[in-house]
Amino acid sequence: MFNNFLIHPDKSLKTALKLISKNGCKTVLVVQNDVFLGTLSDGDIRKAVLKKNNLNSKILNFYNKNSIFLKENNYKESDVKKLFLKNN
């Protein structure tokens, strides 16, 4: 189930696009050795292509390394609202 959401930073933009198409969520989670590194969205890929990068380029230089995430059952709803408001 999660395989359609996880991608290694050495994979290509094309591979990421295929995963995004499969999962239908417009994003994938970049992981290495079971460690979360960031996210890569279809918008990130679009920006890379518009800057004349090849679809065979590795996602290493294009994913968002400053992603914000919450661990399941480890937060209060009020904290989530504050976090979203703070980070737009």
Side-chain angles (χ1 to χ4, degrees):
M1 177 178 153
F2 291 114
N3 290 341
N4 291 336
F5 293 91
L6 306 179
I7 191 165
H8 191 275
D10 285 340
K11 296 295 182 182
S12 70
L13 293 170
K14 185 176 182 177
T15 300
L17 273 177
K18 287 178 183 178
L19 280 179
I20 288 170
S21 292
K22 281 183 184 179
N23 72 32
C25 288
K26 298 185 179 186
T27 192
V28 287
L29 306 175
V30 182
V31 295
Q32 186 172 16
N33 299 324
D34 294 327
V35 175
F36 174 76
L37 301 176
T39 58
L40 180 75
S41 70
D42 60 347
D44 296 326
I45 296 170
R46 194 169 36 255
K47 288 175 195 172
V49 170
L50 288 172
K51 290 181 181 178
K52 304 204 185 296
N53 289 285
N54 187 304
L55 283 178
N56 292 319
S57 300
K58 293 181 181 183
I59 65 171
L60 183 63
N61 299 317
F62 306 107
Y63 74 89
N64 180 356
K65 297 170 181 77
N66 297 314
S67 299
I68 297 171
F69 65 95
L70 300 167
K71 292 185 179 181
E72 189 175 29
N73 299 322
N74 195 20
Y75 56 86
K76 296 178 196 169
E77 186 175 339
S78 60
D79 293 336
V80 174
K81 287 180 183 178
K82 286 178 191 175
L83 185 64
F84 273 86
L85 290 172
K86 178 182 173 191
N87 294 285
N88 296 318

